C-alpha cells in the first residue's frame, strides 16, 4: 500500500503529431531536419501544440490522479544518448531554427535578423554569433514557461499531486553547459515549479563511470535545493556493454547517496 504511481507525460516527443504536421519538424543550425534515431521530437515553439500537450497533462491529472506527474522530453531536441563523451560542442546539432522559431524569437526579443540572410545556416550563424545569450534565454524560457503552467494546472486539479521533470544527464562542465544552451533546461528556473528533478543518468551509455551518478546528483541538488531522483541504467541499451551486478549495485548506491 506504500507503492506510489507516477504518470510520465511525453511533452515534446510526438511521432504521431509529426506525421500529420511537418511544420513541427525541428530544424538545426545547418538547415537540416532529418531524424537520426527513434526520437521524433517536436519544435517547442508552436502555441497550438503546447496547448494540446497541456490539455493532455491536465486530463491525466484529472482522470488518473497519479501521485506524481512527470514531464518527460521537456526540452529542445537533442539526441544526448548518442553524442560521444568527447564530442566538440560545435559539432552538436543545435535547435531550432525553423521559420516559426525565427519569427517568435524576433517578436519576443525585438532582435532583428537581417533580411539579407536568406538561408537557415546564415540566419543561425548570425544569431549564435551576435545574440547567443538572448537566444539561449529565449529557448530556456519556452521550456520553463511550459513547466510552470503545467505544474500550476496539475496542482489546481489536485494539490497533493507532485510534479517532476526529466533532465538530460549533463553536468555544467559537459559540452560547455549544453544542458542550458542545447537542451534549454535551466534547472534552477525549473526547480521553482517542480517537487523534484529526475536526471536520466545512464552512465555507461554516455561514457561515464558510475561515480558520475553521485557527482551529477549532488550538483543538481546544490543548484536547485530540490530532491533529485536519478534514473539509472540497468542493462545494455545500445552497444555500450552490459552492466555487471557489482556495477549496478554501485550505481544504485550512488543514486541513493544523500
Amino acid at each position: 500500500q506504500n507503492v506510489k504511481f507516477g504518470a510520465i507525460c511525453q511533452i515534446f516527443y510526438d511521432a504521431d503529431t509529426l506525421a500529420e504536421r511537418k511544420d513541427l519538424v525541428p530544424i538545426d543550425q545547418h538547415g537540416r531536419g532529418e531524424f537520426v534515431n527513434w526520437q521524433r521530437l517536436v519544435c517547442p515553439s508552436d502555441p497550438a501544440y503546447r496547448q494540446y500537450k497541456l490539455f493532455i497533462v491536465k486530463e491525466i491529472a484529472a482522470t488518473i490522479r497519479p501521485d506524481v506527474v512527470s514531464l518527460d522530453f521537456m526540452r529542445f531536441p537533442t539526441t544526448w544518448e548518442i553524442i560521444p563523451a568527447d564530442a566538440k560542442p560545435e559539432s552538436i546539432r543545435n535547435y531550432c531554427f525553423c521559420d516559426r522559431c525565427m519569427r517568435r524569437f524576433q517578436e519576443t526579443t525585438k532582435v532583428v535578423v537581417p533580411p539579407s540572410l536568406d538561408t537557415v545556416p546564415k540566419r543561425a550563424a548570425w544569431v549564435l554569433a551576435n545574440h547567443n545569450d538572448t537566444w539561449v534565454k529565449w529557448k530556456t524560457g519556452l521550456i520553463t514557461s511550459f513547466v510552470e503552467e503545467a505544474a500550476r494546472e496539475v496542482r489546481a486539479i489536485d494539490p497533493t499531486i507532485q510534479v517532476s521533470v526529466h533532465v538530460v544527464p549533463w553536468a555544467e562542465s559537459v559540452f560547455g553547459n549544453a544542458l542550458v544552451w542545447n537542451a534549454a533546461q535551466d534547472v534552477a528556473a525549473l526547480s521553482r515549479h517542480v517537487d523534484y528533478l529526475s536526471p536520466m543518468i545512464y552512465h555507461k551509455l554516455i561514457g561515464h563511470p558510475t561515480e558520475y551518478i553521485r557527482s551529477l546528483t549532488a550538483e543538481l541538488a546544490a543548484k536547485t535545493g530540490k530532491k533529485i531522483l536519478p534514473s539509472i541504467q540497468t542493462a545494455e541499451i545500445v552497444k555500450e556493454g552490459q552492466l555487471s551486478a557489482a556495477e549496478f549495485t554501485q550505481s544504485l548506491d550512488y543514486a541513493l547517496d544523500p
Side-chain angles (χ1 to χ4, degrees), residues 2 4 7 11 38 62 79 91 113 129 133 140-141 143 201 209 214 224 229 248:
N2 292 323
K4 291 187 176 183
I11 305 303
W38 59 269
T79 50
S91 72
V113 178
D133 289 348
T140 57
I143 301 305
I201 317 179
R214 179 164 61 183
T224 65
L229 180 63
F248 173 70

XYZ file of all heavy atoms in Angstrom, residues 2 4 7 11 38 62 79 91 113 129 133 140-141 143 201 209 214 224 229 248:
153
model
N 2.147 1.140 0.138
C 3.021 2.309 0.126
C 3.602 2.582 -1.259
O 4.441 3.449 -1.414
C 4.153 2.119 1.130
C 3.645 2.126 2.567
O 2.731 2.886 2.882
N 4.214 1.283 3.416
N 3.812 4.105 -4.800
C 3.282 5.302 -5.444
C 3.294 5.130 -6.966
O 4.120 4.411 -7.518
C 4.094 6.533 -5.046
C 3.927 6.927 -3.583
C 4.610 8.253 -3.290
C 4.351 8.687 -1.854
N 4.947 10.013 -1.560
N 2.782 9.130 -13.375
C 2.393 9.177 -14.783
C 3.418 9.994 -15.552
O 3.585 11.194 -15.294
C 1.005 9.794 -14.934
N 6.233 15.201 -23.481
C 5.798 16.522 -23.944
C 6.251 16.810 -25.378
O 5.435 16.884 -26.296
C 6.290 17.618 -22.979
C 5.824 17.326 -21.547
C 5.776 18.988 -23.447
C 4.326 17.184 -21.382
N 15.388 6.850 -33.175
C 13.950 6.673 -32.935
C 13.248 7.930 -32.436
O 12.023 8.036 -32.529
C 13.745 5.553 -31.909
C 14.419 5.828 -30.595
C 15.689 5.469 -30.242
C 13.869 6.523 -29.472
N 15.970 5.904 -28.966
C 14.877 6.546 -28.467
C 12.639 7.114 -29.199
C 14.675 7.149 -27.222
C 12.440 7.712 -27.963
C 13.449 7.723 -27.000
N -6.423 14.767 -13.964
C -7.822 14.754 -13.527
C -8.431 13.361 -13.529
O -9.246 13.032 -12.660
C -8.651 15.678 -14.419
N 19.820 14.604 -29.207
C 19.965 13.151 -29.080
C 21.137 12.858 -28.141
O 22.165 12.321 -28.540
C 20.193 12.493 -30.454
O 21.243 13.181 -31.139
C 18.938 12.549 -31.296
N 30.102 20.650 -32.699
C 29.665 19.569 -33.579
C 28.248 19.095 -33.264
O 27.658 18.322 -34.024
C 30.626 18.379 -33.464
O 30.465 17.715 -32.209
N 16.733 39.983 -37.290
C 17.658 39.219 -38.128
C 17.682 39.866 -39.508
O 16.623 40.073 -40.122
C 17.213 37.748 -38.239
C 18.159 36.974 -39.147
C 17.153 37.107 -36.859
N 26.286 34.073 -33.306
C 27.478 34.919 -33.187
C 27.172 36.263 -32.536
O 28.023 36.831 -31.832
C 28.090 35.150 -34.575
N 23.379 34.819 -26.124
C 22.808 34.850 -24.773
C 21.295 35.072 -24.825
O 20.534 34.450 -24.075
C 23.468 35.943 -23.936
C 24.907 35.601 -23.567
O 25.319 34.442 -23.757
O 25.616 36.503 -23.086
N 15.327 28.702 -23.167
C 15.042 28.187 -21.825
C 13.707 28.713 -21.314
O 12.997 28.024 -20.582
C 16.159 28.557 -20.835
O 16.334 29.985 -20.813
C 17.479 27.891 -21.216
N 13.347 29.925 -21.743
C 12.068 30.479 -21.342
C 10.899 29.665 -21.873
O 9.881 29.494 -21.182
N 10.861 26.455 -22.393
C 10.774 25.217 -21.621
C 10.269 25.496 -20.202
O 9.348 24.838 -19.717
C 12.145 24.522 -21.584
C 12.629 24.194 -23.004
C 12.090 23.280 -20.716
C 11.648 23.369 -23.821
N 20.473 9.374 -15.755
C 21.921 9.145 -15.707
C 22.246 7.711 -16.114
O 22.596 6.861 -15.293
C 22.498 9.471 -14.315
C 21.909 10.779 -13.769
C 24.024 9.596 -14.422
C 22.409 11.154 -12.397
N 31.889 6.974 -15.779
C 31.961 5.973 -14.714
C 30.756 6.083 -13.787
O 30.018 7.080 -13.818
C 33.257 6.335 -13.985
C 33.390 7.812 -14.201
C 32.878 8.056 -15.595
N 26.733 9.936 -8.757
C 26.789 10.667 -7.492
C 27.124 12.138 -7.704
O 26.491 13.022 -7.105
C 27.812 10.031 -6.560
C 27.943 10.774 -5.227
C 28.640 9.960 -4.166
N 29.996 9.588 -4.519
C 30.781 8.822 -3.753
N 30.321 8.357 -2.603
N 31.997 8.510 -4.134
N 19.629 23.425 -7.170
C 18.181 23.593 -7.122
C 17.598 23.593 -5.717
O 16.503 24.135 -5.501
C 17.491 22.474 -7.914
O 17.733 21.203 -7.268
C 18.021 22.417 -9.337
N 15.821 12.640 -8.076
C 15.522 11.226 -8.246
C 16.131 10.757 -9.563
O 15.504 10.820 -10.612
C 14.010 10.985 -8.257
C 13.554 9.538 -8.428
C 14.028 8.673 -7.265
C 12.040 9.469 -8.565
N 26.014 -2.407 -11.225
C 24.649 -1.969 -10.959
C 24.459 -1.643 -9.476
O 23.827 -0.638 -9.131
C 23.632 -3.031 -11.375
C 22.227 -2.685 -10.969
C 21.544 -1.645 -11.573
C 21.601 -3.375 -9.942
C 20.252 -1.302 -11.178
C 20.309 -3.039 -9.540
C 19.640 -2.019 -10.157
